[in-house]
Amino acid sequence: MTDFTHDPAALADPPPRPAGRRQRTSAMRWLVLPGQIISLVVLVLPLLVALYMSFTDWSPTRGSLWDARFAGLFNYEELLVYDTRFVEAVIRTLFLAVTCLSLEFALGLGLAVLFLREFKGKSVLFSAFLTPMMILPVVVGYTFWMLFQSNGPVNQILGLFLGPEAMPEWFRSAPLAMIAVIVTEVWHWTPLFFLILLSGLNAVPENPVRAAMILGASPRQIFFRVVLPMLKPVIIVAFVIRAMEIAKLFDEVFMLTRGGPGSSTETVSLYIYKLAFNDFQLAYGAAAAFLVLVGTLAIINLMLLPVRDQLLKGQG
Amino acid sequence: MMQNRPLTPLLALVLAAALAVTLFPVFWVVMTSLKPPTDWNAAPAIWVPSEPTLANFRTLFDPSALEAYGLSGVSQPATPAILGSLLAAVLATLLSIAIGLASAIGLSRYAKLSKWTPLVILSGRMFPPAAIAVPFVIMFSAVNLIDSYAGLIAIYVAVTLPFSTWMLKSFVDDLPREIEQAAMLDGRSRLMAHLLVTIPLIKGGVFATTMFIFILNWSEFMFALVLSYTSVTTIPVQLAKYVTATAGTLYGVQAALAVLAMLPLILAGYAIQGHLARGMTFGAVKR
Amino acid sequence: MTPKLALKSVSKRYPGADVAAVEGLDLEVGAGETLALLGPSGCGKSTTLNMIVGLEHPSGGRIEIDGRDVTNIPAGKRNVGLVFQDYAVFTSMTVRQNLAFGLSVRRVARAEIARAVGEVAELLGMSDRLEARAGDLGGSQMQRVAIGRTLVTRPAILLLDEPLSNLESAARLAMRRELRRLQKEIGLTIVYVTHDQIEALSLADRIAVMQAGRLRQVEAATRILSRPAHTFVASFLGEPPMTLLAGRLSGGVFETGGLCLPVRSDLPDGRLTLGLRPQGLVPCGAADSALAGTVLHVEPRGPEAVLTVNCGGRKVKAVVPPGAAPAPGQVIGLAVPPGAVTAFDGDTNLRLHGSRITLGVPA
């Protein structure tokens, strides 16, 4: 995480004397050093160990990692070619990402647009709508596990409207368990989209909107053709952040379904966890994790492509 | 833009429905935490307990508290988990902020960032925790840090560092350089200028970041799950254990722990709601 | 001939405000005319502009375009174009998409849009930049896009809000030429809003001066400097503006502060304000004019110098050739030829017409 080049002129005080320059550079070195060290030791080093491990056939029952046999790309081939459970988990995670993000975006945008209207108690309601994203994932998972029990309130309400046959066992059916996961995720993270989109909407400059109005655009045309395109950077940021979280989705699913019934709601993170800590296939699990990392990096990079320069400007 | 139009009755209804859906799960877990055991698993489900009790909360600290209801099945008190969570989250947050602050000032004031920097920073958050957890277990076993708070805190600091660095950097970026330069011209050293000028000026931002990092650390589940055996527990792990050990039948006690777990986060979250977007987006969305 | 634009006793009051933002505004703009709406900030000119385009609804009065009452017609349907001070181009779109916007939201056929966009791009010299992202353009390019975007919809009137104030001086000159060329080439009716008199004087056929929500004068740009109709216009226009002396006329003597000036005129006795045009005053010997005093300072301005003379406690400005400038501290007189003095009613602040005044010649 320390990909930067020195810019001696960054804190320019004229004239730039050699001593001052050295002083500035060393100031930066010392300031970022602790962060670099801890990132190296606690993030980069384990990552390298995991990478090495993924090319071996190591398992803790067979002694030390350093004595393990080098297996080349065996683990990777196994995962991509033969491990249908892994491939399914990847597809399922992608499906979750697309479904949840679309729903969260649509609901968050709708709510944000409502908040452009004038009404009483706006600031209190604003806080109230943000509540879900402040709650820890484990508690969210546990709460929705309670809500979706067969004698829980969700079924109670469904039964009230649709009759007693609409009171299923949510966690015994693959599609229903998936719906429960999606509902939980969407409830948990729609507030993030709401928050980001609302701050984006409030920052939209007034004059282009008025210009479009004078040019004869309808409110709908103004919203979709002028306002939304101006929100593109924040929308992409929101999608990127959420996509990363879905790639790592673990806590809520662990509490809700443990990936069940069978492996029908198993995300890649959950599968990797089970590989490593239930089956002790550590090398294999590490390989799976690297495949996920490479895939996520590629997707995120593609998503960021159109706004990276803008983001940098905003930050730099 | 497009502001000042009033809410039509239909839209008000939509808003009310959305509010109900948003708050209902919170309502449910709070209500459940107040239910006596007889109400826990009733069919049809009981929304508001007829005789609300704090016995569930007492049980967390004293497993015999529910004996009055004929229950003695809660094997472990949650006290170690609560203390463990406090210790790990508070220490890790303070360390992450201290290190992040130094990095933020260094990066904001003295470095020119390449266009890849955001991606590199982001990738720190992209790696599936389960995968780093494995080498952690190996490395920490080698240096005897497994099942220790020191090990857990080290991971929390490393994992939250990109967030604290980037969020704090966005606050430092907002500050005009001239202010520090004035202090430096007064003959102070660079370090003193930052300590005495930069940091006090962004103390609001430091507070917001601290709360945000605390939320992240307090919420963390997987590392705590795989790196703790007996001496280290946190609230999320304890909650999972309760659910597993009792097949989820101790609704009231579990809900009480859930309420204890989320209460500080909701308070911290409300306190810094103006900065939540900045934190979640690594400072890209400023308000 | 019906005027292109007519405002009939238009007023605007904001709820909760004590003073009307615009009060009883009557104004006509002829076809092909260029009118500048000039005034200091807060004078109501922007409110007037917003009412013309339909972004704000007047509290009273009527607005007509081509003889049609548009008072209750929404902004997008009035067939007027507005160019914002900050251009307000759609930064995420290309230049082509910007230009096409007004037609494409009206669902005009694609071929027709392409033709109109091509034509306007040609007119503005932007044909080679059509695929550029509007947000990447420089200031004057953005302004061309903003102008072109409205021209594509063939507006009856083009309104420009401070069109030159965001441009650097070189670009400002070029844009000024450009606007005049456009106006000539396509016979546009243009209304400018500006606080800059140089901009108004150089661009407009006529200038409408507003102050405190009221229209003070509408006059041809070539004449407004020498014929201010209101003390505000006299004090706002000109560089330096007229020196205004408020006082009393009685028995052939005009008394203002500590200064007494002999006056020969057909004006009745009473409260009176005299305006002295700096360019008209001529330095002379201290004894040769009743208007005399110490030179406070001399401000050289290239081809001329501005004198500030303390005449009995009133500061009077005069413009002289730099060679003829006296030194500060010197005591001089200022001769006032009949054309250099304008009389205003002391109560209404309106110009008193038809009176010849001779001032300052010692009796």
Side-chain angles (χ1 to χ4, degrees):
Chain A
M1 57 157 285
T2 47
D3 181 4
F4 46 76
T5 50
H6 305 323
D7 177 23
L11 196 72
D13 40 4
R17 286 160 301 135
R21 178 176 305 185
R22 201 177 312 132
Q23 206 181 345
R24 274 193 298 276
T25 314
S26 78
M28 187 201 64
R29 289 241 174 84
W30 284 111
L31 283 168
V32 299
L33 192 65
Q36 277 175 311
I37 290 176
I38 194 149
S39 304
L40 272 174
V41 173
V42 190
L43 286 181
V44 179
L45 188 62
L47 233 99
L48 293 177
V49 173
L51 186 62
Y52 170 76
M53 195 161 55
S54 73
F55 295 113
T56 69
D57 66 350
W58 183 67
S59 131
T61 50
R62 293 198 218 152
S64 162
L65 166 62
W66 313 113
D67 304 330
R69 203 151 46 92
F70 192 71
L73 291 174
F74 175 81
N75 288 327
Y76 291 93
E77 187 191 346
E78 188 74 13
L79 278 165
L80 289 173
V81 182
Y82 302 105
D83 191 345
T84 50
R85 193 169 156 194
F86 174 72
V87 175
E88 277 170 18
V90 169
I91 294 171
R92 191 174 299 118
T93 307
L94 286 174
F95 167 77
L96 268 176
V98 172
T99 319
C100 293
L101 264 57
S102 322
L103 286 170
E104 288 164 25
F105 172 66
L107 293 173
L109 183 63
L111 201 54
V113 169
L114 276 186
F115 264 72
L116 292 178
R117 301 268 178 157
E118 213 46 63
F119 55 87
K120 268 191 195 149
K122 208 173 188 175
S123 64
V124 175
L125 280 188
F126 175 73
S127 306
F129 276 111
L130 292 186
T131 313
M133 66 181 276
M134 300 168 190
I135 301 176
L136 49 171
V138 170
V139 168
V140 171
Y142 170 69
T143 305
F144 276 78
W145 178 80
M146 273 199 298
L147 297 181
F148 279 112
Q149 289 303 306
S150 57
N151 60 343
V154 169
N155 272 354
Q156 206 179 353
I157 294 168
L158 284 179
L160 206 66
F161 288 104
L162 305 170
E165 63 274 16
M167 297 171 69
E169 292 270 5
W170 289 86
F171 300 118
R172 300 236 170 110
S173 135
L176 288 181
M178 199 66 180
I179 289 175
V181 170
I182 291 170
V183 168
T184 307
E185 272 301 288
V186 170
W187 179 84
H188 197 180
W189 292 112
T190 295
L192 178 66
F193 273 89
F194 163 65
L195 175 66
I196 292 179
L197 290 172
L198 184 60
S199 64
L201 280 173
N202 279 326
V204 164
E206 235 174 72
N207 279 348
V209 173
R210 304 166 94 194
M213 207 188 280
I214 296 168
L215 286 168
S218 66
R220 173 183 294 267
Q221 284 170 325
I222 292 176
F223 185 74
F224 285 103
R225 299 182 58 169
V226 178
V227 175
L228 268 193
M230 284 198 264
L231 293 186
K232 197 168 99 183
V234 289
I235 291 173
I236 291 181
V237 166
F239 270 94
V240 164
I241 305 277
R242 283 293 299 132
M244 280 166 41
E245 295 299 318
I246 295 260
K248 297 191 301 177
L249 179 60
F250 175 81
D251 304 8
E252 289 101 321
V253 183
F254 184 87
M255 295 301 287
L256 262 182
T257 67
R258 298 274 156 112
S263 62
S264 63
T265 55
E266 202 168 78
T267 60
V268 279
S269 268
L270 199 57
Y271 180 50
I272 293 171
Y273 168 82
K274 286 181 186 171
L275 281 177
F277 297 101
N278 288 357
D279 308 342
F280 298 105
Q281 298 191 45
L282 296 184
Y284 192 62
F290 269 96
L291 283 178
V292 173
L293 177 68
V294 170
T296 318
L297 265 171
I299 293 172
I300 300 292
N301 199 17
L302 277 180
M303 290 169 81
L304 275 178
L305 214 53
V307 290
R308 202 168 52 207
D309 292 344
Q310 263 166 291
L311 280 185
L312 254 189
K313 249 182 257 165
Q315 291 178 336
Chain B
M1 58 132 251
M2 298 188 290
Q3 254 154 357
N4 301 323
R5 280 192 298 164
L7 214 54
T8 63
L10 182 69
L11 291 179
L13 206 66
V14 172
L15 198 65
L19 186 66
V21 172
T22 301
L23 293 184
F24 182 75
V26 182
F27 163 82
W28 190 262
V29 73
V30 172
M31 283 304 144
T32 305
S33 73
L34 299 174
K35 284 177 192 170
T38 43
D39 290 359
W40 286 356
N41 204 11
I46 291 169
W47 287 38
V48 181
S50 45
E51 290 168 42
T53 168
L54 289 175
N56 297 320
F57 288 94
R58 281 202 301 277
T59 311
L60 295 176
F61 305 98
D62 169 19
S64 66
L66 280 175
E67 274 169 8
Y69 295 94
L71 275 174
S72 52
V74 189
S75 49
Q76 290 174 316
T79 327
I82 293 167
L83 293 176
S85 260
L86 273 175
L87 180 69
V90 169
L91 277 181
T93 302
L94 293 180
L95 278 170
S96 177
I97 292 295
I99 298 170
L101 204 47
S103 301
I105 292 172
L107 291 176
S108 172
R109 293 304 195 230
Y110 302 104
K112 193 179 166 191
L113 302 172
S114 92
K115 65 173 183 173
W116 290 98
T117 314
L119 199 65
V120 174
I121 302 270
L122 281 177
S123 66
R125 287 295 296 172
M126 249 179 266
F127 206 69
I132 330 185
V134 174
F136 272 147
V137 174
I138 301 168
M139 288 165 53
F140 282 10
S141 309
V143 291
N144 250 339
L145 275 175
I146 199 106
D147 201 19
S148 78
Y149 283 107
L152 197 60
I153 289 169
I155 294 181
Y156 282 6
V157 172
V159 167
T160 55
L161 205 51
F163 276 101
S164 56
T165 303
W166 230 235
M167 190 168 170
L168 287 167
K169 178 178 172 296
S170 80
F171 286 109
V172 183
D173 287 344
D174 289 351
L175 206 66
R177 283 156 191 254
E178 289 73 23
I179 297 177
E180 295 157 356
Q181 281 166 345
M184 286 176 198
L185 291 180
D186 286 351
R188 297 186 201 283
S189 73
R190 282 169 196 282
L191 189 64
M192 287 307 278
H194 289 311
L195 273 179
L196 296 174
V197 181
T198 317
I199 295 174
L201 281 173
I202 58 163
K203 59 175 187 284
V206 174
F207 172 76
T209 313
T210 308
M211 291 294 111
F212 186 75
I213 302 297
F214 176 78
I215 293 178
L216 292 181
N217 285 332
W218 184 265
S219 307
E220 203 288 324
F221 175 51
M222 187 192 271
F223 288 124
L225 182 67
V226 302
L227 291 173
S228 63
Y229 296 112
T230 49
S231 56
V232 172
T233 344
T234 64
I235 293 176
V237 175
Q238 186 65 44
L239 188 61
K241 275 185 191 159
Y242 274 164
V243 176
T244 313
T246 63
T249 47
L250 283 173
Y251 288 91
V253 182
Q254 293 150 11
L257 186 58
V259 169
L260 272 191
M262 71 186 193
L263 208 60
L265 295 198
I266 292 181
L267 291 180
Y270 285 159
I272 61 157
Q273 62 182 22
H275 297 294
L276 277 177
R278 196 195 279 250
M280 296 300 297
T281 60
F282 293 86
V285 174
K286 293 237 158 139
R287 207 216 69 79
Chain C
M1 201 176 104
T2 38
K4 204 73 181 168
L5 169 71
L7 304 183
K8 298 189 169 166
S9 52
V10 167
S11 59
K12 176 74 186 177
R13 264 166 220 287
Y14 291 105
D18 303 338
V19 197
V22 173
E23 183 72 65
L25 184 68
D26 284 294
L27 184 64
E28 289 190 353
V29 184
E33 189 186 19
T34 301
L35 178 111
L37 210 49
L38 177 67
S41 58
C43 72
K45 58 190 194 297
S46 293
T47 308
T48 307
L49 186 84
N50 286 343
M51 289 192 288
I52 297 172
V53 295
L55 290 173
E56 289 187 49
H57 194 262
S59 329
R62 282 153 64 81
I63 299 170
E64 291 176 6
I65 292 171
D66 280 327
R68 183 174 68 124
D69 184 355
V70 298
T71 316
N72 292 314
I73 290 179
K77 303 226 155 81
R78 292 189 177 190
N79 196 25
V80 295
L82 172 60
V83 176
F84 288 86
Q85 183 176 1
D86 60 0
Y87 320 133
V89 296
F90 306 130
T91 47
S92 55
M93 301 183 195
T94 62
V95 171
R96 182 190 297 283
Q97 288 167 327
N98 264 279
L99 295 181
F101 187 85
L103 294 182
S104 77
V105 294
R106 285 168 220 195
R107 310 199 193 291
V108 172
R110 205 163 285 186
E112 167 61 21
I113 294 178
R115 198 193 53 72
V117 167
E119 210 171 81
V120 167
E122 184 76 18
L123 185 72
L124 293 168
M126 298 209 74
S127 302
D128 53 335
R129 305 293 320 260
L130 278 176
E131 307 311 326
R133 226 177 60 93
D136 297 336
L137 299 176
S140 61
Q141 296 271 6
M142 276 203 200
Q143 186 162 48
R144 275 165 214 268
V145 173
I147 294 171
R149 184 174 65 180
T150 63
L151 289 186
V152 167
T153 62
R154 304 196 160 278
I157 307 160
L158 179 63
L159 299 118
L160 297 111
D161 189 2
E162 307 271 1
L164 304 179
S165 62
N166 278 17
L167 295 176
E168 292 168 17
S169 57
R172 195 178 291 191
L173 283 174
M175 191 45 79
R176 208 184 278 175
R177 272 198 303 276
E178 181 94 5
L179 285 168
R180 262 197 245 112
R181 179 179 67 85
L182 277 178
Q183 199 270 333
K184 263 203 202 103
E185 254 174 61
I186 47 182
L188 267 176
T189 306
I190 298 180
V191 176
Y192 292 97
V193 159
T194 181
H195 67 276
D196 179 355
Q197 53 171 310
I198 308 288
E199 197 173 311
L201 288 165
S202 62
L203 284 171
D205 301 328
R206 288 195 302 153
I207 295 179
V209 181
M210 286 187 76
Q211 182 221 357
R214 285 164 188 277
L215 189 62
R216 294 304 184 197
Q217 185 175 13
V218 189
E219 184 64 80
T222 47
R223 295 200 297 176
I224 195 163
L225 275 181
S226 53
R227 296 175 58 92
H230 186 277
T231 49
F232 173 74
V233 180
S235 67
F236 187 66
L237 283 180
E239 193 47 54
M242 277 188 178
T243 305
L244 290 175
L245 303 171
R248 237 191 133 70
L249 181 68
S250 59
V253 174
F254 178 69
E255 195 186 334
T256 168
L259 187 64
C260 286
L261 300 170
V263 168
R264 254 182 294 152
S265 75
D266 49 2
L267 294 168
D269 285 1
R271 277 160 56 76
L272 180 73
T273 301
L274 293 181
L276 306 178
R277 202 155 61 85
Q279 283 82 357
L281 301 182
V282 183
C284 58
D288 298 334
S289 174
L291 192 64
T294 316
V295 177
L296 288 177
H297 44 88
V298 180
E299 185 193 340
R301 284 194 188 170
E304 58 185 35
V306 179
L307 307 182
T308 307
V309 183
N310 180 1
C311 301
R314 311 303 301 258
K315 284 175 186 162
V316 177
K317 302 246 182 198
V319 173
V320 298
Q330 208 175 326
V331 178
I332 62 163
L334 290 168
V336 189
V341 57
T342 312
F344 301 93
D345 187 300
D347 297 311
T348 64
N349 290 325
L350 293 176
R351 178 193 177 99
L352 295 166
H353 289 279
S355 39
R356 277 190 72 81
I357 312 162
T358 323
L359 183 74
V361 181

